[in-house]
Amino acid sequence: AEVRAALDEQVRRVENGEVCDRGYPVGFLAAKDHRAHPAERILLASYPRSGNSLLRSLVERLTGVFTGSDADPRRPLNKQLVEAGMMGEGMADERVFVVKTHFP
């Protein structure tokens, strides 16, 4: 329930425009976007501290869609990523189509 509340808060902040200005438009996928289909999700599997956040920010800039992760959005480092504008942190559902993981 706590994770769901944290994710709902992230979505609310995006919907209300309460995120840092990244200099380019970025948002969540619309339900009818073909990339929202589960078969269209892409996993970004990498080692921790290997530059995956940099790659995620580039993907977001190129696609205009937030990237997600399988991480707990309540953890301190993940909270910092959310504050930096990575609003898909902790999301691996139809709102994102690239999902970061550190699991093989």
Side-chain angles (χ1 to χ4, degrees):
E2 289 179 34
V3 171
R4 177 88 255 150
L7 296 176
D8 289 344
E9 175 63 15
Q10 287 169 223
V11 171
R12 185 197 64 75
R13 288 179 59 198
V14 169
E15 290 172 348
N16 292 337
E18 300 172 11
V19 296
C20 65
D21 181 15
R22 297 175 68 180
Y24 53 90
V26 63
F28 292 112
L29 283 175
K32 49 190 164 176
D33 190 313
H34 71 90
R35 296 171 295 182
H37 189 277
E40 297 294 324
R41 244 180 259 37
I42 298 168
L43 284 179
L44 172 60
S46 62
Y47 289 104
R49 310 298 301 170
S50 64
N52 60 62
S53 295
L54 173 63
L55 182 57
R56 286 174 64 197
S57 67
L58 291 172
V59 168
E60 290 180 0
R61 185 176 189 120
L62 290 171
T63 64
V65 179
F66 287 119
T67 58
S69 77
D70 61 359
D72 185 339
R74 300 170 297 166
R75 296 186 67 198
L77 180 58
N78 300 335
K79 284 183 180 181
Q80 290 175 349
L81 289 171
V82 169
E83 292 305 314
M86 300 196 86
M87 302 307 289
E89 195 65 20
M91 297 180 190
D93 57 18
E94 68 280 348
R95 294 174 283 196
V96 298
F97 76 103
V98 174
V99 179
K100 174 202 83 172
T101 184
H102 291 313
F103 295 103

